[in-house]
Amino acid sequence: MRLITFTDDKSTRIGILQKDQIIDLSAAAPDIPNEMVAFLEAGDAALEKARAAAGTQATIKLSDVTLESPVLRPPKILAVGLNYREHVEETGRELPKVPIIFNKQSTSATGPFAPILRPHESVAMDYEGEMGVVIGKRCRRVPKDRYAEVVAGYTVLNDVTIRDWQRRSPTMTMGKSWDSHCPMGPSIVTPDEVDISKLELKTLVNGEVRQHSDTSYLIFDVPTLIEHLSTAFTLEPGDVIATGTCAGVAAAMEGMPWLKQGDIVRVEIETLGAIENNVVDDDGGVIIE
């Protein structure tokens, strides 16, 4: 099952993606929440009703809606640094002995085909294609062998990074958290539909393949990450874990070809689908509401 959040002229709500058609869960299963975090919080009962609805007639064309981030405002976006050996090598760093964890602010989440904004405060804008894990259950101290109990599904994301701001301080938060810098989607693919042990991953800029690897090369796998994170704090429904990127980032390439206005960045992961985002210069100023 591929769970999505979408907007049409009526509202923003959740559905099930079936090729180029959508089953609107607000119509097919009106007694379950129509917002993703609330839906996940409703637990197995809501999930089973959604599965039952998956057998009904799709009523909306994909081309008639806007796909949003599957989780509009994740409670937490937790990311993993240096989690592919070749990426560690291209940075000149040592292999980590424990997962390197940082946060991306929830306001960085945006849709799978929405623009990503290049800030005028920097020209060092980079891409990082990654597999995302969406948490489905509130949990703490989850042992590796029980990780599957807490995963709602998997998605595609781009951990867009402003490199000079990332390197200004010992923590990475300021370089990783700009608005629109975590596009994700197009859907949350439930675990029964995907084997994450070896999924091909590609990142393309204007059609040029910049990153190419697969998830079998993760240094710390998903069970290890969930055990590690949940040891320290509670994971909640809708939390997203960005599992790390592979080699090929602009920061490690000759000439450092940073993203610029008009570039198109596409991240593809086998079975999970693809996201594609245009780079648009952010000419915004002060906002006080």
Side-chain angles (χ1 to χ4, degrees):
M1 191 162 57
R2 294 171 183 265
L3 297 165
I4 60 170
T5 297
F6 69 96
T7 298
D8 64 7
D9 58 353
K10 295 178 181 177
S11 62
T12 297
R13 52 202 190 275
I14 65 173
I16 299 170
L17 181 62
Q18 293 185 338
K19 296 183 179 178
D20 59 352
Q21 300 285 320
I22 295 170
I23 294 172
D24 180 358
L25 284 173
S26 68
D31 56 337
I32 62 176
N34 63 7
E35 187 276 328
M36 190 64 74
V37 172
F39 168 74
L40 296 174
E41 289 175 339
D44 292 340
L47 188 61
E48 288 309 309
K49 289 180 180 178
R51 289 192 188 286
T56 62
Q57 183 74 33
T59 56
I60 301 175
K61 292 181 180 178
L62 176 61
S63 57
D64 290 341
V65 309
T66 299
L67 287 181
E68 311 287 357
S69 171
V71 186
L72 289 172
R73 187 64 64 87
K76 296 186 284 292
I77 302 176
L78 302 155
V80 186
L82 304 179
N83 204 21
Y84 282 81
R85 178 182 294 272
E86 290 184 349
H87 178 50
V88 177
E89 291 173 353
E90 73 178 356
T91 67
R93 306 273 295 273
E94 295 182 358
L95 287 179
K97 294 181 174 56
V98 296
I100 298 172
I101 304 297
F102 58 90
N103 285 79
K104 291 177 78 75
Q105 304 306 313
S106 61
T107 44
S108 67
T110 195
F113 304 107
I116 48 178
L117 303 177
R118 192 183 76 143
H120 52 74
E121 292 87 352
S122 171
V123 296
M125 184 178 180
D126 210 343
Y127 49 82
E128 295 190 7
E130 305 188 13
M131 180 179 72
V133 182
V134 181
I135 297 297
K137 292 185 177 178
R138 190 172 186 272
C139 58
R140 182 79 195 278
R141 296 191 177 91
V142 181
K144 289 182 186 179
D145 61 354
R146 298 188 63 184
Y147 86 97
E149 297 176 42
V150 307
V151 173
Y154 303 93
T155 193
V156 182
L157 64 80
N158 187 347
D159 173 19
V160 180
T161 302
I162 302 300
R163 294 295 182 197
D164 48 354
W165 284 63
Q166 175 192 6
R167 292 165 178 161
R168 281 180 176 179
S169 64
T171 71
M172 292 186 274
T173 299
M174 290 301 290
K176 292 286 189 175
S177 293
W178 294 65
D179 288 355
S180 80
H181 287 192
C182 192
M184 68 178 82
S187 63
I188 300 169
V189 180
T190 52
D192 57 303
E193 293 204 0
V194 60
D195 174 4
I196 62 166
S197 62
K198 186 177 174 62
L199 296 177
E200 183 181 28
L201 185 157
K202 287 183 184 178
T203 302
L204 303 93
V205 178
N206 302 326
E208 175 192 359
V209 177
R210 297 278 185 88
Q211 296 183 289
H212 189 193
S213 187
D214 71 68
T215 56
S216 69
Y217 291 103
L218 284 170
I219 296 171
F220 302 105
D221 61 11
V222 172
T224 301
L225 293 173
I226 289 176
E227 180 182 71
H228 181 71
L229 292 164
S230 69
T231 298
F233 48 80
T234 300
L235 295 175
E236 304 170 286
D239 283 349
V240 175
I241 302 170
T243 55
T245 202
C246 54
V249 297
M253 294 179 66
E254 185 175 351
M256 296 182 182
W258 305 122
L259 296 174
K260 60 184 185 305
Q261 164 89 9
D263 283 346
I264 299 174
V265 187
R266 181 179 176 87
V267 182
E268 304 174 351
I269 299 182
E270 182 180 4
T271 306
L272 301 184
I275 63 174
E276 187 170 290
N277 306 91
N278 294 342
V279 177
V280 176
D281 283 345
D282 183 0
D283 56 2
V286 175
I287 298 175
I288 301 175
E289 298 176 331

